[in-house]
Structures are given as structure tokens and as C-alpha cells.
Amino acid sequence: MKNTDCWISISENSDFSIHNIPFGIFSTKSNTLRAGVAIGDQILDLVVASELGVFNSLDFNPYVFKSETLNDFIALGKEITSTVRTIIQEELTNVDSVLKTDSSVFVNQKEVQMHLPVFVGDYTDFYSSIEHATNVGTMFRDPNNALLPNWKHIPVGYHGRASSIIVSGVDVHRPMGQTIAPDAKEPTYGPSKRVDFELEMAFIIGKKTSLGDTVKVENAEEYIFGKVLFNDWSARDIQKWEYVPLGPFLAKNFASSISPWIVTMDALEPFKVAGPEQTPKVLPYLEYKGERNYDIWLQVAIKPENGEETVVSNSNFKYMYWNMAQQLAHHTMNGCNINVGDMMGSGTISGKSKDSYGSMLELSWAGKNPIQLKDGTQRTFIADNDTVIMRGFCQKDGKKVGFGEVKTKLLPAKQ
């Protein structure tokens, strides 16, 4: 199957190829929130498609496409959702498709508003890039003991705030908080001076468990519907003051931005790769076989207000030390239950080279090495009215599967 087999025009460089078929929630001036699929620069309206009888061979209520989130659709299970994706691919490459009979089935992506694709009941953030953890440990602790003793034994994580997860295009205000100057004895209150991005990806839970159940590594991907790009905003100066002893709090929960299209695990299957060697050997419940990492190219750009964007990082999801299957197995090994729509963040994704680091904290090395932008200005952290743009895609054997972008502008603080 090729893009040229599709009767909808698809640019060769489009993230939304016939091999992708990602799901999202959109609205137009004339239609309320509903489910759709991105194809080229268009959106296939799944409500209209279902009314045309495209999914009549499947036993489910097409009313799920009229929902304000994808939760009910995802909860149908992969047997249904994967078949829906396959049917869409077949219809888009069938010159006699019923989809050709109604022009309202397609909407230009430029004419819609995108919304959060799922209702996120719970959100967990991991800390799974060994390069990132080593950089941070080197910066703030002993370089010879950058990783804490538990790091290579468990996928470290913490529970984040689901209510402040926002979709691409929603602006964020610089957070207020307590910080303490290096030589000060008392903290002060004011706007964070060290707002940072964190280049992450997140996976969406597609199958619930009951309290007390565990998910095994070998079948963990059965519980994962798909992935999105994830910018987990951080206020480094607030974080430094508050995170001992209980970890991230107000420095992290003011906003986390995601891309609007969920790329399914089916679409990502061809891009599996081997992960890094894990030494020392992990405990048996975290052992896995086969390729469990994914070759996903990632990029971060900063765009000043009325200025040109500058790419500041080029990284890849394949660098992750702990993979998604291990993260989910560890998350549930104590009987913690998960629900459809729950979101699990990867943690900051950094590569081995300086230009592949996934945060300004690392790129500027805690503010010591400013990053030069194309307009001649410099950044150690994110400035007011800067827009941070993250992009990601997979490419192999002539197939491209992309995530689009997550774009967020940082507004001045509300004081």
C-alpha cells in the first residue's frame, strides 16, 4: 500500500500517510465535537463515514464517534478499533468507495479546531532516559554517581496532574511560585525565571484493569492504544526548592501539552527497534524479549514572537532505557488499576549528543551556555511569548508515520 494508491491527495512528506490513520477529536463552525482521522491535509469525519455505512460489518454503536472524547471508542477494544483503521485504509484506496458520494465526509485540517483526544483520568510521568537522568545527576550531584541507586532497577515515576493536560494550541501562562536564590536563607514569591520544556512522548491506555490486577511485560502492549507527543512543562527554579522530599509538585502541574492526534500502536509496529542493553540484569517481572523500543525522530524548535523558529534539539525515542512495556508492568505490579484514557509520560527524552538533549536545562547546562536563536537573541530558558514546537515522525522503507506537532506559547505570568 502506498500514498499514491489513495484517491485523496497526500503529500509525500505528510505525517498523515495511508500508513498512519491517527484518531483525534475535532469540531468545526457547523459541527460539534466528534471523532476523526487525519489523512494528508484532510480529516475524515467518522460520524459521516459511519452514516454512510462504512462500518456496518462491525458490531458496535457508531454513536461513539459523536462523543467529545475517544474514550468510548478506545474502550471497544483493539479487535474493533484496529478493524476500523483497516476499513478506513481499504476505503481510501478503493476507487469505488462510498466515501466519494458525500463531500462532507472530508474537512480541511486548517478549518477545524482540535480538542483533547481523550479524557485523562490519571496521568503518570516516568524518568526513563538514562542520558537525561545522567545529565541532571551530573549537574546537581556527584558526576561519578549521577544515577541514584534505584535508577537501573526500576522505571522511576510519579503521579502528575491530569486536569492541566492541554491540547496543542492552548497557551500557557508563566507560573508563579516560591523560589530561593543561591545565597538566600528565605524564599521569595514571584514568576518562575526558569520555565523549561521537556521533550517527551506519552502513551494512552486502551484497556482497563481491576484493582489488584497486574499487567505482564509480555502482553503490556495489548493495554496501550497509541501515542502522542508530550511537552511536560517545568519550572526549574520552583522545582529545585520544592522537590525534596516528595518530588515534583507545583513546578510540574501548571501545564502539560499534547499533540491532538493519537498514532496507534498498529501504525507504529513497523518501526520497532532494539533498546539499549540493561545492566545490571533487571528483575524477572521486568524482563522482556524482542524489540520493544520505537524509532521515532523528534525535534524541538523555539519561535520568538513575530520571529523565525530555531530548531534547538533533534532526538529520538529509541534512546529510552526503560520501554513502555516495562513502565506499564512496573506501574501495575502492586495491583494499581488503570483505566481507558489514562496517560503515561515517557520522561524527558535525551540522546547522547548535546544537540539531542530534551530540555533547556540540559541544552544550556543549567543556564551556563546560552542557546543562540536565528533572530540574534539568546535563551537559557523559555522567554515570555516564545512558542515551543515539538514534532515527531517515523520513516522506513518508503513509509512515513508522523505525529504532527504540539505547539504552545508561553504567556507572561498572571500576577
Side-chain angles (χ1 to χ4, degrees):
M1 188 182 298
K2 302 176 181 178
N3 280 337
T4 52
D5 297 329
C6 183
W7 45 268
I8 287 288
S9 177
I10 305 173
S11 166
E12 182 180 351
N13 294 319
S14 175
D15 279 355
F16 307 120
S17 67
I18 192 66
H19 309 288
N20 194 344
I21 314 298
F23 293 87
I25 295 292
F26 74 100
S27 64
T28 66
K29 293 179 180 179
S30 56
N31 286 321
T32 55
L33 276 69
R34 56 189 52 212
V37 160
I39 183 75
D41 59 4
Q42 302 290 309
I43 294 175
L44 171 64
D45 187 327
L46 292 177
V47 172
V48 179
S50 64
E51 290 172 348
L52 292 172
V54 169
F55 309 115
N56 282 354
S57 61
L58 300 179
D59 183 19
F60 74 95
N61 188 341
Y63 186 78
V64 295
F65 295 135
K66 294 184 179 181
S67 177
E68 294 186 354
T69 68
L70 291 170
N71 292 55
D72 290 343
F73 170 66
I74 294 171
L76 294 173
K78 285 196 175 184
E79 186 175 347
I80 295 292
T81 60
S82 295
T83 306
V84 166
R85 177 176 173 272
T86 299
I87 289 173
I88 292 169
Q89 289 176 315
E90 291 172 349
E91 291 293 331
L92 291 173
T93 54
N94 175 12
V95 293
D96 298 319
S97 172
V98 68
L99 294 176
K100 285 188 168 185
T101 65
D102 190 338
S103 61
S104 68
V105 75
F106 290 103
V107 185
N108 192 297
Q109 289 192 36
K110 294 180 179 179
E111 298 174 0
V112 308
Q113 180 178 348
M114 298 303 300
H115 303 269
L116 272 178
V118 290
F119 170 76
V120 183
D122 281 300
Y123 152 53
T124 299
D125 193 31
F126 287 95
Y127 189 54
S128 293
S129 162
I130 193 168
E131 290 81 9
H132 173 68
T134 301
N135 287 339
V136 174
T138 298
M139 229 178 284
F140 297 111
R141 290 192 299 273
D142 177 7
N144 295 318
N145 295 284
L147 298 178
L148 292 173
N150 64 354
W151 201 92
K152 287 190 173 182
H153 294 277
I154 61 173
V156 176
Y158 72 96
H159 292 293
R161 183 73 182 177
S163 66
S164 54
I165 293 174
I166 55 177
V167 75
S168 175
V170 176
D171 297 336
V172 171
H173 284 273
R174 179 178 296 273
M176 302 288 291
Q178 280 194 30
T179 60
I180 190 165
D183 300 324
K185 294 182 179 180
E186 298 291 335
T188 57
Y189 173 76
S192 168
K193 297 177 181 178
R194 292 195 159 196
V195 175
D196 199 357
F197 64 79
E198 290 191 2
L199 172 62
E200 299 193 27
M201 301 201 74
F203 63 87
I204 310 298
I205 294 299
K207 183 179 179 181
K208 68 179 292 185
T209 64
S210 297
L211 188 67
D213 290 347
T214 59
V215 174
K216 308 303 182 186
V217 166
E218 53 265 29
N219 62 354
E221 288 175 7
E222 296 175 15
Y223 292 81
I224 302 174
F225 176 71
K227 294 182 67 60
V228 293
L229 299 173
F230 190 61
N231 180 359
D232 195 19
W233 291 92
S234 181
R236 300 296 184 184
D237 45 359
I238 296 174
Q239 185 174 2
K240 185 178 180 181
W241 172 237
E242 73 177 4
Y243 83 103
V244 177
L246 294 182
F249 186 37
L250 302 180
K252 302 289 296 178
N253 69 5
F254 63 95
S256 299
S257 306
I258 70 169
S259 52
W261 296 106
I262 304 177
V263 177
T264 64
M265 300 310 295
D266 293 330
L268 294 173
E269 183 69 21
F271 307 100
K272 281 186 170 181
V273 294
E277 180 183 356
Q278 295 182 331
T279 305
K281 186 178 180 180
V282 299
L283 292 174
Y285 80 96
L286 289 170
E287 291 180 348
Y288 69 95
K289 296 179 181 179
E291 297 176 332
R292 293 299 185 95
N293 280 40
Y294 291 81
D295 187 4
I296 305 174
W297 290 95
L298 300 167
Q299 183 183 84
V300 186
I302 298 174
K303 183 181 182 299
E305 189 167 32
N306 303 318
E308 184 180 359
E309 72 173 57
T310 302
V311 174
V312 296
S313 176
N314 286 288
S315 197
N316 196 302
F317 187 61
K318 69 182 179 183
Y319 298 134
M320 302 304 288
Y321 188 86
W322 295 104
N323 61 53
M324 293 183 291
Q326 291 176 308
Q327 290 171 339
L328 188 52
H330 183 68
H331 197 306
T332 63
M333 62 91 127
N334 65 344
C336 175
N337 55 317
I338 54 174
N339 292 300
V340 171
D342 285 358
M343 187 174 295
M344 311 283 178
S346 63
T348 304
I349 303 163
S350 291
K352 299 180 185 302
S353 61
K354 292 181 179 180
D355 62 350
S356 66
Y357 294 164
S359 66
M360 291 299 288
L361 177 68
E362 296 164 273
L363 290 167
S364 73
W365 209 253
K368 296 176 183 177
N369 305 315
I371 301 298
Q372 190 80 20
L373 301 188
K374 288 183 178 179
D375 65 358
T377 61
Q378 295 181 330
R379 296 290 186 277
T380 51
F381 292 92
I382 306 304
D384 285 351
N385 299 310
D386 281 350
T387 297
V388 175
I389 307 163
M390 295 180 178
R391 303 181 178 96
F393 68 91
C394 313
Q395 197 156 21
K396 179 182 177 182
D397 300 331
K399 298 179 179 179
K400 183 175 182 180
V401 170
F403 292 79
E405 61 183 28
V406 53
K407 178 188 292 186
T408 316
K409 186 175 183 178
L410 179 67
L411 302 178
K414 288 184 174 181
Q415 300 191 53

